[in-house]
Amino acid sequence: CQFASSLAAAMGNSSSLSDCYQRPVCQSDTFAADANMEIDDVSDAETLGGNVHILICGLDYQGDRNWAGKQPLDTAFAFEMVDQLARVCAATTIKKLWNAQCTKEAVREAIREVGGQCDAGDSFVFYYTGHGDAMADDDGDEASGFDSALCLLGPDGQVEPRNLYWLRDDDFAQTVVESVDEDAHVVVLADCCHSGTILDVTKPIWAGRKALSITGCTDKQTSAGTGKGGMFTRALTRAIQDLQEECPDGYMTSRVYNKTLAKYQEYKLTQHTQDITIHGCGLQPTQFVWPLQAQEPYVALANTQYREFELSTKA
């Protein structure tokens, strides 16, 4: 099976991503789609059968004495938006890590704790808002020569040295796979820069599993903040609010992704563009039941007290 090299090559060439989605390699084990382009959708209505266990991680870097602390992020707003969403979706487990709590060791242990509660048919959801960046590949498994990484803090509350403190995509994916039941669903949502392939679904460890990531941008792009949370998180939560009324009997991930793209385009500003991405394995988005479906009346914070914003850009 050649899916790893084929999809990795496609991720470095946006013009070939649609081919990768339309003709999934390795018997549909993996999928990707053109950035910011709608994907195939279905009208099938489904709600999740199992329980949802979500880990919400966020950093604004206040207290860091390096580059990140000089301009703290607006991530507290997005963090609150996803916490609100998790509660109205009646998630069985909601665990939150904020700022200094987000060390590499603590995040990996939280993945083990929350992911370890998943039984077959359940969903593990990981949400991250903060800085993301590229790091030189340290094991030769990346065609681009770079790993994606979450810019976490050390025990001293600092973002550097990165080689010690940051969480690479390889280690992130390995921790998720080792922690979550092989028959559970995995959803990763990353509102950060350089995050397109953070789940690393081309790695052999994902064989036979059902997982996907939706991220705010590609590996080579930055994600915009607004002063009141990232553009991606705002678009996603607005999309889920709309779908509560439009699809009361439930919906698949394909519907969420397409609606998120529409909300991003509706509210985006001209001075910045980011390509929201989707990658995954095991199930196509038309087959993947979206786990965060509101179980009570839901109005996204991006549509109420956090409606007004000014564009900023994460690094």
Side-chain angles (χ1 to χ4, degrees), residues 265-281:
Q265 292 296 334
E266 180 180 349
Y267 289 96
K268 82 177 291 294
L269 300 181
T270 57
Q271 58 264 50
H272 184 271
T273 296
Q274 60 195 77
D275 295 325
I276 295 172
T277 69
I278 184 169
H279 299 108
C281 60

Side-chain angles (χ1 to χ4, degrees), residues 149-223:
L150 305 180
C151 304
L152 304 181
L153 302 178
D156 57 358
Q158 304 304 301
V159 76
E160 300 284 359
R162 63 190 62 190
N163 284 333
L164 293 179
Y165 294 164
W166 293 8
L167 182 58
R168 293 176 181 269
D169 53 6
D170 296 343
D171 297 328
F172 173 64
Q174 187 70 43
T175 305
V176 173
V177 169
E178 290 175 349
S179 305
V180 179
D181 188 287
E182 63 181 359
D183 292 318
H185 292 188
V186 172
V187 174
V188 170
L189 307 170
D191 195 348
C192 59
C193 302
H194 310 292
S195 55
T197 60
I198 190 65
L199 195 55
D200 231 355
V201 293
T202 59
K203 293 179 73 68
I205 60 173
W206 288 107
R209 290 180 174 265
K210 299 176 283 290
L212 65 85
S213 64
I214 304 178
T215 68
C217 66
T218 70
D219 286 346
K220 297 181 178 181
Q221 291 179 319
T222 59
S223 287

Side-chain angles (χ1 to χ4, degrees), residues 229-272:
M231 290 291 290
F232 167 56
T233 301
R234 295 172 66 88
L236 176 66
T237 55
R238 281 172 160 150
I240 293 172
Q241 177 184 324
D242 283 6
L243 291 174
Q244 181 181 32
E245 296 183 3
E246 296 174 9
C247 307
D249 295 325
Y251 43 88
M252 312 305 279
T253 295
S254 53
R255 185 65 55 93
V256 176
Y257 182 71
N258 289 343
K259 177 65 74 169
T260 299
L261 296 185
K263 287 298 178 182
Y264 169 69
Q265 292 296 334
E266 180 180 349
Y267 289 96
K268 82 177 291 294
L269 300 181
T270 57
Q271 58 264 50
H272 184 271

